[in-house]
PDB file of all heavy atoms in Angstrom:
ATOM      1  N   THR A 207      56.012  48.923  -2.929  1.00 83.00           N
ATOM      2  CA  THR A 207      54.973  49.859  -2.490  1.00 83.00           C
ATOM      3  C   THR A 207      54.519  50.802  -3.584  1.00 83.00           C
ATOM      4  O   THR A 207      54.164  51.961  -3.216  1.00 83.00           O
ATOM      5  CB  THR A 207      55.523  50.626  -1.234  1.00 83.00           C
ATOM      6  OG1 THR A 207      56.644  51.289  -1.580  1.00 83.00           O
ATOM      7  CG2 THR A 207      55.746  49.714  -0.056  1.00 83.00           C
ATOM      8  N   VAL A 208      54.650  50.373  -4.784  1.00 83.00           N
ATOM      9  CA  VAL A 208      54.233  51.288  -5.891  1.00 83.00           C
ATOM     10  C   VAL A 208      52.809  51.722  -5.786  1.00 83.00           C
ATOM     11  O   VAL A 208      52.446  52.858  -6.006  1.00 83.00           O
ATOM     12  CB  VAL A 208      54.542  50.591  -7.244  1.00 83.00           C
ATOM     13  CG1 VAL A 208      53.923  51.374  -8.372  1.00 83.00           C
ATOM     14  CG2 VAL A 208      56.070  50.487  -7.457  1.00 83.00           C
ATOM     15  N   PRO A 209      51.839  50.832  -5.462  1.00 82.00           N
ATOM     16  CA  PRO A 209      50.440  51.286  -5.262  1.00 82.00           C
ATOM     17  C   PRO A 209      50.342  52.460  -4.268  1.00 82.00           C
ATOM     18  O   PRO A 209      49.571  53.377  -4.507  1.00 82.00           O
ATOM     19  CB  PRO A 209      49.718  50.056  -4.793  1.00 82.00           C
ATOM     20  CG  PRO A 209      50.478  48.915  -5.339  1.00 82.00           C
ATOM     21  CD  PRO A 209      51.929  49.352  -5.286  1.00 82.00           C
ATOM     22  N   ALA A 210      51.035  52.325  -3.136  1.00 83.00           N
ATOM     23  CA  ALA A 210      50.954  53.417  -2.136  1.00 83.00           C
ATOM     24  C   ALA A 210      51.600  54.669  -2.631  1.00 83.00           C
ATOM     25  O   ALA A 210      51.091  55.782  -2.454  1.00 83.00           O
ATOM     26  CB  ALA A 210      51.667  52.965  -0.857  1.00 83.00           C
ATOM     27  N   LEU A 211      52.690  54.556  -3.370  1.00 88.00           N
ATOM     28  CA  LEU A 211      53.332  55.740  -3.963  1.00 88.00           C
ATOM     29  C   LEU A 211      52.451  56.433  -4.982  1.00 88.00           C
ATOM     30  O   LEU A 211      52.316  57.687  -4.988  1.00 88.00           O
ATOM     31  CB  LEU A 211      54.650  55.408  -4.593  1.00 88.00           C
ATOM     32  CG  LEU A 211      55.750  54.871  -3.636  1.00 88.00           C
ATOM     33  CD1 LEU A 211      56.918  54.316  -4.473  1.00 88.00           C
ATOM     34  CD2 LEU A 211      56.219  55.992  -2.726  1.00 88.00           C
ATOM     35  N   VAL A 212      51.804  55.653  -5.837  1.00 87.00           N
ATOM     36  CA  VAL A 212      50.881  56.223  -6.852  1.00 87.00           C
ATOM     37  C   VAL A 212      49.710  56.852  -6.154  1.00 87.00           C
ATOM     38  O   VAL A 212      49.248  57.988  -6.510  1.00 87.00           O
ATOM     39  CB  VAL A 212      50.410  55.081  -7.830  1.00 87.00           C
ATOM     40  CG1 VAL A 212      49.282  55.620  -8.780  1.00 87.00           C
ATOM     41  CG2 VAL A 212      51.616  54.621  -8.601  1.00 87.00           C
ATOM     42  N   THR A 213      49.132  56.189  -5.155  1.00 85.00           N
ATOM     43  CA  THR A 213      47.957  56.754  -4.470  1.00 85.00           C
ATOM     44  C   THR A 213      48.262  58.092  -3.749  1.00 85.00           C
ATOM     45  O   THR A 213      47.573  59.037  -4.007  1.00 85.00           O
ATOM     46  CB  THR A 213      47.437  55.764  -3.385  1.00 85.00           C
ATOM     47  OG1 THR A 213      47.081  54.506  -4.039  1.00 85.00           O
ATOM     48  CG2 THR A 213      46.173  56.356  -2.705  1.00 85.00           C
ATOM     49  N   THR A 214      49.269  58.155  -3.005  1.00 88.00           N
ATOM     50  CA  THR A 214      49.622  59.325  -2.267  1.00 88.00           C
ATOM     51  C   THR A 214      50.118  60.372  -3.270  1.00 88.00           C
ATOM     52  O   THR A 214      49.830  61.612  -3.078  1.00 88.00           O
ATOM     53  CB  THR A 214      50.755  59.113  -1.266  1.00 88.00           C
ATOM     54  OG1 THR A 214      51.848  58.430  -1.898  1.00 88.00           O
ATOM     55  CG2 THR A 214      50.276  58.163  -0.097  1.00 88.00           C
ATOM     56  N   GLY A 215      50.862  60.009  -4.284  1.00 90.00           N
ATOM     57  CA  GLY A 215      51.267  60.997  -5.302  1.00 90.00           C
ATOM     58  C   GLY A 215      50.172  61.671  -6.031  1.00 90.00           C
ATOM     59  O   GLY A 215      50.050  62.874  -6.223  1.00 90.00           O
ATOM     60  N   ILE A 216      49.129  60.878  -6.427  1.00 90.00           N
ATOM     61  CA  ILE A 216      47.945  61.471  -7.107  1.00 90.00           C
ATOM     62  C   ILE A 216      47.174  62.333  -6.126  1.00 90.00           C
ATOM     63  O   ILE A 216      46.699  63.421  -6.560  1.00 90.00           O
ATOM     64  CB  ILE A 216      47.067  60.334  -7.720  1.00 90.00           C
ATOM     65  CG1 ILE A 216      47.848  59.703  -8.870  1.00 90.00           C
ATOM     66  CG2 ILE A 216      45.700  60.892  -8.136  1.00 90.00           C
ATOM     67  CD1 ILE A 216      47.070  58.567  -9.554  1.00 90.00           C
ATOM     68  N   LEU A 217      46.991  61.927  -4.898  1.00 88.00           N
ATOM     69  CA  LEU A 217      46.244  62.784  -3.946  1.00 88.00           C
ATOM     70  C   LEU A 217      46.984  64.098  -3.726  1.00 88.00           C
ATOM     71  O   LEU A 217      46.373  65.151  -3.667  1.00 88.00           O
ATOM     72  CB  LEU A 217      46.060  62.027  -2.605  1.00 88.00           C
ATOM     73  CG  LEU A 217      45.134  60.796  -2.665  1.00 88.00           C
ATOM     74  CD1 LEU A 217      45.119  60.118  -1.254  1.00 88.00           C
ATOM     75  CD2 LEU A 217      43.700  61.216  -3.073  1.00 88.00           C
ATOM     76  N   THR A 218      48.317  64.045  -3.610  1.00 91.00           N
ATOM     77  CA  THR A 218      49.082  65.277  -3.430  1.00 91.00           C
ATOM     78  C   THR A 218      49.031  66.093  -4.656  1.00 91.00           C
ATOM     79  O   THR A 218      48.913  67.321  -4.556  1.00 91.00           O
ATOM     80  CB  THR A 218      50.496  64.888  -3.135  1.00 91.00           C
ATOM     81  OG1 THR A 218      50.560  64.085  -1.948  1.00 91.00           O
ATOM     82  CG2 THR A 218      51.402  66.140  -2.855  1.00 91.00           C
ATOM     83  N   PHE A 219      49.095  65.487  -5.835  1.00 93.00           N
ATOM     84  CA  PHE A 219      49.065  66.248  -7.109  1.00 93.00           C
ATOM     85  C   PHE A 219      47.710  67.008  -7.218  1.00 93.00           C
ATOM     86  O   PHE A 219      47.650  68.219  -7.579  1.00 93.00           O
ATOM     87  CB  PHE A 219      49.258  65.301  -8.253  1.00 93.00           C
ATOM     88  CG  PHE A 219      49.341  65.985  -9.601  1.00 93.00           C
ATOM     89  CD1 PHE A 219      50.539  66.450 -10.084  1.00 93.00           C
ATOM     90  CD2 PHE A 219      48.143  66.190 -10.339  1.00 93.00           C
ATOM     91  CE1 PHE A 219      50.601  67.069 -11.358  1.00 93.00           C
ATOM     92  CE2 PHE A 219      48.213  66.792 -11.555  1.00 93.00           C
ATOM     93  CZ  PHE A 219      49.433  67.288 -12.071  1.00 93.00           C
ATOM     94  N   ILE A 220      46.614  66.276  -6.956  1.00 92.00           N
ATOM     95  CA  ILE A 220      45.269  66.915  -7.042  1.00 92.00           C
ATOM     96  C   ILE A 220      45.140  68.067  -6.032  1.00 92.00           C
ATOM     97  O   ILE A 220      44.591  69.126  -6.397  1.00 92.00           O
ATOM     98  CB  ILE A 220      44.192  65.872  -6.845  1.00 92.00           C
ATOM     99  CG1 ILE A 220      44.227  64.857  -7.992  1.00 92.00           C
ATOM    100  CG2 ILE A 220      42.813  66.527  -6.733  1.00 92.00           C
ATOM    101  CD1 ILE A 220      43.245  63.706  -7.830  1.00 92.00           C
ATOM    102  N   ALA A 221      45.663  67.865  -4.845  1.00 91.00           N
ATOM    103  CA  ALA A 221      45.508  68.928  -3.870  1.00 91.00           C
ATOM    104  C   ALA A 221      46.288  70.181  -4.287  1.00 91.00           C
ATOM    105  O   ALA A 221      45.809  71.330  -4.139  1.00 91.00           O
ATOM    106  CB  ALA A 221      46.035  68.458  -2.469  1.00 91.00           C
TER     107      ALA A 221
END
Side-chain angles (χ1 to χ4, degrees):
T207 58
V208 171
L211 293 173
V212 172
T213 302
T214 54
I216 289 180
L217 293 176
T218 302
F219 184 90
I220 293 176

